[in-house]
Amino acid sequence: MMFDWNVEKIRFFRDAAEFTPFHENLAAQILPCLTGKDTICDAGCGLGYLSLALAPHCGKVTAVDISAEALRALRENKAGLRNVEVWECDVFRLGADILFDVMIFCFFGKLAELLSCAKAHCIEKVILVKRAGAFRRFSVKEVPREKDTFAEACAALDALGIPYRCNVFPLESGQPFRSVADAQAFFKLYSGDAVSETDIRTQLVRTQSAKFPYYLSVGQETGIIVIDTKDIPDSIYDNGALI
């Protein structure tokens, strides 16, 4: 399902990406899997901050997303980076002749479609980035994370007999705010939770930033799964279901 990139979500995501080193820290975890000369597809790239963080360390990054709104923001940010190419298209419907050395699926897609896409378009390896924490990040109450998790992906790969390498690490993925009201709007947008000013203040910390005086700190366990393309079977479906 396509992520709904509206104006407010883009603003909040951009604020977080520019206030915290989240994508730089994530890129640092991915870099040992790369050679420095790879052609990379950042599939479902969204605003493309991971693409920008990886670009200085590889041959070329192709940032692919179906959202014109998200890619508009990426095009604004990539000025000066000649090795970042932006494609507005469905990564699961690429032409058969399109190939990359490495494909990265960061918090994006279902395992079966990711493996099929990588088998068709990836020469060397596919890198999956999955949330490994037990609960959703932005919710007033603890809401269990049940789908598209690191553990779920590992279990499915084990069942398929597909070898992989993996690593789990902590990653700070908090959100800065311009005001307490901004924080309340954020919770309403992302989780549907209506949070009182009193309750939200207990979760925020004050910063030294004039632009973002409040910050919601969220530590997140994140997992990286690396699969050699040659180890992905030609078909992983049986009557439309993941085998």
Side-chain angles (χ1 to χ4, degrees):
M1 182 180 294
M2 176 182 168
F3 185 79
D4 180 21
W5 285 108
N6 57 40
V7 173
E8 279 295 276
K9 285 184 179 179
I10 288 175
R11 179 176 72 83
F12 281 124
F13 193 97
R14 176 180 275 169
D15 287 350
E18 296 180 358
F19 185 79
T20 73
F22 175 86
H23 293 93
E24 291 78 7
N25 291 342
L26 177 56
Q29 296 288 336
I30 294 174
L31 288 179
C33 305
L34 307 178
T35 67
K37 298 180 180 180
D38 305 282
T39 59
I40 296 173
C41 174
D42 182 7
C45 66
L47 304 190
Y49 282 96
L50 179 59
S51 296
L52 300 179
L54 291 171
H57 309 285
C58 62
K60 179 181 178 181
V61 179
T62 301
V64 182
D65 204 284
I66 202 169
S67 170
E69 292 81 3
L71 295 181
R72 189 176 299 116
L74 171 55
R75 289 188 178 99
E76 293 173 1
N77 288 334
K78 82 176 193 74
L81 284 174
R82 297 184 178 181
N83 67 332
V84 177
E85 192 167 287
V86 181
W87 291 3
E88 183 186 335
C89 64
D90 186 344
V91 73
F92 301 120
R93 296 184 179 182
L94 295 176
D97 60 335
I98 295 176
L99 297 172
F100 307 96
D101 293 327
V102 178
M103 296 190 77
I104 299 174
F105 297 90
C106 182
F107 309 133
F108 169 72
K110 306 294 184 181
L111 183 63
E113 61 186 359
L114 304 187
L115 294 178
S116 293
C117 183
K119 187 67 175 181
H121 302 291
C122 188
I123 299 171
E124 296 179 3
K125 68 187 72 166
V126 54
I127 300 173
L128 311 180
V129 183
K130 296 285 187 180
R131 304 198 191 281
F135 301 99
R136 296 180 184 176
R137 288 184 300 160
F138 300 117
S139 182
V140 176
K141 299 179 180 179
E142 287 189 339
V143 179
R145 184 179 299 281
E146 299 176 349
K147 296 182 179 180
D148 300 325
T149 66
F150 173 80
E152 180 186 64
C154 289
L157 291 170
D158 289 338
L160 289 166
I162 298 176
Y164 59 91
R165 303 173 297 283
C166 65
N167 181 34
V168 177
F169 50 91
L171 201 60
E172 171 64 26
S173 57
Q175 180 69 41
F177 298 110
R178 292 172 166 82
S179 66
V180 174
D182 200 33
Q184 290 176 283
F186 175 85
F187 271 90
K188 185 66 175 177
L189 178 67
Y190 274 88
S191 64
D193 294 329
V195 188
S196 70
E197 180 176 343
T198 300
D199 288 341
I200 198 65
R201 282 185 182 275
T202 64
Q203 300 189 47
L204 303 179
V205 297
R206 295 300 299 261
T207 76
Q208 300 299 313
S209 169
K211 184 176 182 181
F212 301 111
Y214 298 98
Y215 182 71
L216 176 67
S217 178
V218 180
Q220 172 182 282
E221 290 291 306
T222 301
I224 289 179
I225 301 170
V226 183
I227 306 165
D228 293 333
T229 306
K230 63 179 176 56
D231 292 327
I232 302 174
D234 292 331
S235 178
I236 58 172
Y237 287 99
D238 182 12
N239 295 324
L242 177 65
I243 61 174

PDB file of all heavy atoms in Angstrom, residues 82-97:
ATOM      1  N   ARG A  82      25.290  14.675  -8.283  1.00  0.00           N
ATOM      2  CA  ARG A  82      25.114  14.230  -9.662  1.00  0.00           C
ATOM      3  C   ARG A  82      24.834  12.734  -9.773  1.00  0.00           C
ATOM      4  O   ARG A  82      24.396  12.268 -10.833  1.00  0.00           O
ATOM      5  CB  ARG A  82      26.359  14.585 -10.484  1.00  0.00           C
ATOM      6  CG  ARG A  82      26.595  16.097 -10.580  1.00  0.00           C
ATOM      7  CD  ARG A  82      27.776  16.397 -11.473  1.00  0.00           C
ATOM      8  NE  ARG A  82      27.985  17.826 -11.611  1.00  0.00           N
ATOM      9  CZ  ARG A  82      28.953  18.380 -12.352  1.00  0.00           C
ATOM     10  NH1 ARG A  82      29.800  17.574 -13.013  1.00  0.00           N
ATOM     11  NH2 ARG A  82      29.074  19.685 -12.420  1.00  0.00           N
ATOM     12  N   ASN A  83      25.132  11.976  -8.722  1.00  0.00           N
ATOM     13  CA  ASN A  83      24.962  10.527  -8.819  1.00  0.00           C
ATOM     14  C   ASN A  83      23.650  10.053  -8.186  1.00  0.00           C
ATOM     15  O   ASN A  83      23.503   8.878  -7.865  1.00  0.00           O
ATOM     16  CB  ASN A  83      26.143   9.790  -8.206  1.00  0.00           C
ATOM     17  CG  ASN A  83      26.238   9.967  -6.697  1.00  0.00           C
ATOM     18  OD1 ASN A  83      25.801  10.982  -6.167  1.00  0.00           O
ATOM     19  ND2 ASN A  83      26.806   8.986  -6.009  1.00  0.00           N
ATOM     20  N   VAL A  84      22.704  10.965  -8.002  1.00  0.00           N
ATOM     21  CA  VAL A  84      21.367  10.590  -7.534  1.00  0.00           C
ATOM     22  C   VAL A  84      20.365  10.857  -8.653  1.00  0.00           C
ATOM     23  O   VAL A  84      20.214  11.984  -9.117  1.00  0.00           O
ATOM     24  CB  VAL A  84      20.954  11.376  -6.277  1.00  0.00           C
ATOM     25  CG1 VAL A  84      19.528  11.011  -5.869  1.00  0.00           C
ATOM     26  CG2 VAL A  84      21.909  11.098  -5.122  1.00  0.00           C
ATOM     27  N   GLU A  85      19.703   9.791  -9.076  1.00  0.00           N
ATOM     28  CA  GLU A  85      18.691   9.890 -10.127  1.00  0.00           C
ATOM     29  C   GLU A  85      17.332   9.581  -9.519  1.00  0.00           C
ATOM     30  O   GLU A  85      17.195   8.643  -8.729  1.00  0.00           O
ATOM     31  CB  GLU A  85      19.009   8.908 -11.248  1.00  0.00           C
ATOM     32  CG  GLU A  85      18.202   9.131 -12.510  1.00  0.00           C
ATOM     33  CD  GLU A  85      18.772   8.341 -13.683  1.00  0.00           C
ATOM     34  OE1 GLU A  85      19.832   8.727 -14.210  1.00  0.00           O
ATOM     35  OE2 GLU A  85      18.153   7.322 -14.046  1.00  0.00           O
ATOM     36  N   VAL A  86      16.312  10.364  -9.873  1.00  0.00           N
ATOM     37  CA  VAL A  86      14.980  10.233  -9.279  1.00  0.00           C
ATOM     38  C   VAL A  86      14.010   9.690 -10.320  1.00  0.00           C
ATOM     39  O   VAL A  86      13.862  10.271 -11.395  1.00  0.00           O
ATOM     40  CB  VAL A  86      14.488  11.599  -8.748  1.00  0.00           C
ATOM     41  CG1 VAL A  86      13.113  11.454  -8.113  1.00  0.00           C
ATOM     42  CG2 VAL A  86      15.483  12.168  -7.737  1.00  0.00           C
ATOM     43  N   TRP A  87      13.347   8.582  -9.963  1.00  0.00           N
ATOM     44  CA  TRP A  87      12.357   7.985 -10.851  1.00  0.00           C
ATOM     45  C   TRP A  87      10.993   7.974 -10.172  1.00  0.00           C
ATOM     46  O   TRP A  87      10.845   7.415  -9.079  1.00  0.00           O
ATOM     47  CB  TRP A  87      12.718   6.537 -11.189  1.00  0.00           C
ATOM     48  CG  TRP A  87      13.931   6.365 -12.048  1.00  0.00           C
ATOM     49  CD1 TRP A  87      14.763   7.328 -12.513  1.00  0.00           C
ATOM     50  CD2 TRP A  87      14.445   5.118 -12.546  1.00  0.00           C
ATOM     51  NE1 TRP A  87      15.775   6.783 -13.267  1.00  0.00           N
ATOM     52  CE2 TRP A  87      15.608   5.423 -13.297  1.00  0.00           C
ATOM     53  CE3 TRP A  87      14.059   3.799 -12.419  1.00  0.00           C
ATOM     54  CZ2 TRP A  87      16.372   4.445 -13.927  1.00  0.00           C
ATOM     55  CZ3 TRP A  87      14.809   2.809 -13.034  1.00  0.00           C
ATOM     56  CH2 TRP A  87      15.942   3.123 -13.792  1.00  0.00           C
ATOM     57  N   GLU A  88      10.022   8.550 -10.817  1.00  0.00           N
ATOM     58  CA  GLU A  88       8.646   8.492 -10.320  1.00  0.00           C
ATOM     59  C   GLU A  88       7.947   7.327 -11.015  1.00  0.00           C
ATOM     60  O   GLU A  88       7.468   7.444 -12.145  1.00  0.00           O
ATOM     61  CB  GLU A  88       7.908   9.802 -10.586  1.00  0.00           C
ATOM     62  CG  GLU A  88       6.488   9.813 -10.030  1.00  0.00           C
ATOM     63  CD  GLU A  88       5.710  11.062 -10.410  1.00  0.00           C
ATOM     64  OE1 GLU A  88       6.332  12.108 -10.675  1.00  0.00           O
ATOM     65  OE2 GLU A  88       4.455  10.978 -10.473  1.00  0.00           O
ATOM     66  N   CYS A  89       7.910   6.186 -10.353  1.00  0.00           N
ATOM     67  CA  CYS A  89       7.301   4.998 -10.945  1.00  0.00           C
ATOM     68  C   CYS A  89       7.089   3.950  -9.863  1.00  0.00           C
ATOM     69  O   CYS A  89       7.535   4.099  -8.727  1.00  0.00           O
ATOM     70  CB  CYS A  89       8.171   4.429 -12.067  1.00  0.00           C
ATOM     71  SG  CYS A  89       9.785   3.837 -11.525  1.00  0.00           S
ATOM     72  N   ASP A  90       6.406   2.873 -10.237  1.00  0.00           N
ATOM     73  CA  ASP A  90       6.175   1.740  -9.353  1.00  0.00           C
ATOM     74  C   ASP A  90       7.358   0.786  -9.482  1.00  0.00           C
ATOM     75  O   ASP A  90       7.597   0.221 -10.549  1.00  0.00           O
ATOM     76  CB  ASP A  90       4.870   1.046  -9.749  1.00  0.00           C
ATOM     77  CG  ASP A  90       4.474  -0.069  -8.797  1.00  0.00           C
ATOM     78  OD1 ASP A  90       5.334  -0.523  -8.012  1.00  0.00           O
ATOM     79  OD2 ASP A  90       3.309  -0.500  -8.842  1.00  0.00           O
ATOM     80  N   VAL A  91       8.128   0.606  -8.407  1.00  0.00           N
ATOM     81  CA  VAL A  91       9.318  -0.227  -8.477  1.00  0.00           C
ATOM     82  C   VAL A  91       8.980  -1.676  -8.791  1.00  0.00           C
ATOM     83  O   VAL A  91       9.824  -2.428  -9.296  1.00  0.00           O
ATOM     84  CB  VAL A  91      10.105  -0.134  -7.140  1.00  0.00           C
ATOM     85  CG1 VAL A  91       9.387  -0.882  -6.026  1.00  0.00           C
ATOM     86  CG2 VAL A  91      11.540  -0.637  -7.305  1.00  0.00           C
ATOM     87  N   PHE A  92       7.740  -2.085  -8.558  1.00  0.00           N
ATOM     88  CA  PHE A  92       7.339  -3.464  -8.838  1.00  0.00           C
ATOM     89  C   PHE A  92       6.891  -3.649 -10.290  1.00  0.00           C
ATOM     90  O   PHE A  92       6.481  -4.735 -10.672  1.00  0.00           O
ATOM     91  CB  PHE A  92       6.226  -3.886  -7.883  1.00  0.00           C
ATOM     92  CG  PHE A  92       6.629  -3.802  -6.430  1.00  0.00           C
ATOM     93  CD1 PHE A  92       5.940  -2.992  -5.547  1.00  0.00           C
ATOM     94  CD2 PHE A  92       7.712  -4.521  -5.957  1.00  0.00           C
ATOM     95  CE1 PHE A  92       6.320  -2.901  -4.222  1.00  0.00           C
ATOM     96  CE2 PHE A  92       8.109  -4.438  -4.634  1.00  0.00           C
ATOM     97  CZ  PHE A  92       7.410  -3.626  -3.754  1.00  0.00           C
ATOM     98  N   ARG A  93       7.003  -2.577 -11.088  1.00  0.00           N
ATOM     99  CA  ARG A  93       6.636  -2.672 -12.497  1.00  0.00           C
ATOM    100  C   ARG A  93       7.736  -2.113 -13.394  1.00  0.00           C
ATOM    101  O   ARG A  93       7.470  -1.532 -14.443  1.00  0.00           O
ATOM    102  CB  ARG A  93       5.313  -1.940 -12.749  1.00  0.00           C
ATOM    103  CG  ARG A  93       4.134  -2.571 -12.010  1.00  0.00           C
ATOM    104  CD  ARG A  93       2.826  -1.897 -12.348  1.00  0.00           C
ATOM    105  NE  ARG A  93       1.711  -2.530 -11.644  1.00  0.00           N
ATOM    106  CZ  ARG A  93       0.439  -2.170 -11.771  1.00  0.00           C
ATOM    107  NH1 ARG A  93       0.117  -1.138 -12.552  1.00  0.00           N
ATOM    108  NH2 ARG A  93      -0.521  -2.812 -11.104  1.00  0.00           N
ATOM    109  N   LEU A  94       8.976  -2.307 -12.997  1.00  0.00           N
ATOM    110  CA  LEU A  94      10.101  -1.855 -13.804  1.00  0.00           C
ATOM    111  C   LEU A  94      10.267  -2.735 -15.034  1.00  0.00           C
ATOM    112  O   LEU A  94       9.881  -3.904 -15.035  1.00  0.00           O
ATOM    113  CB  LEU A  94      11.396  -1.909 -12.977  1.00  0.00           C
ATOM    114  CG  LEU A  94      11.487  -0.975 -11.766  1.00  0.00           C
ATOM    115  CD1 LEU A  94      12.793  -1.235 -11.022  1.00  0.00           C
ATOM    116  CD2 LEU A  94      11.385   0.482 -12.175  1.00  0.00           C
ATOM    117  N   GLY A  95      10.859  -2.175 -16.070  1.00  0.00           N
ATOM    118  CA  GLY A  95      11.137  -2.948 -17.272  1.00  0.00           C
ATOM    119  C   GLY A  95      12.102  -4.079 -16.979  1.00  0.00           C
ATOM    120  O   GLY A  95      12.976  -3.967 -16.107  1.00  0.00           O
ATOM    121  N   ALA A  96      11.979  -5.169 -17.721  1.00  0.00           N
ATOM    122  CA  ALA A  96      12.768  -6.368 -17.463  1.00  0.00           C
ATOM    123  C   ALA A  96      14.263  -6.130 -17.626  1.00  0.00           C
ATOM    124  O   ALA A  96      15.085  -6.848 -17.037  1.00  0.00           O
ATOM    125  CB  ALA A  96      12.312  -7.492 -18.395  1.00  0.00           C
ATOM    126  N   ASP A  97      14.656  -5.112 -18.417  1.00  0.00           N
ATOM    127  CA  ASP A  97      16.073  -4.869 -18.682  1.00  0.00           C
ATOM    128  C   ASP A  97      16.734  -3.949 -17.652  1.00  0.00           C
ATOM    129  O   ASP A  97      17.921  -3.665 -17.747  1.00  0.00           O
ATOM    130  CB  ASP A  97      16.240  -4.275 -20.075  1.00  0.00           C
ATOM    131  CG  ASP A  97      15.495  -2.949 -20.243  1.00  0.00           C
ATOM    132  OD1 ASP A  97      14.509  -2.727 -19.499  1.00  0.00           O
ATOM    133  OD2 ASP A  97      15.891  -2.147 -21.097  1.00  0.00           O
TER     134      ASP A  97
END
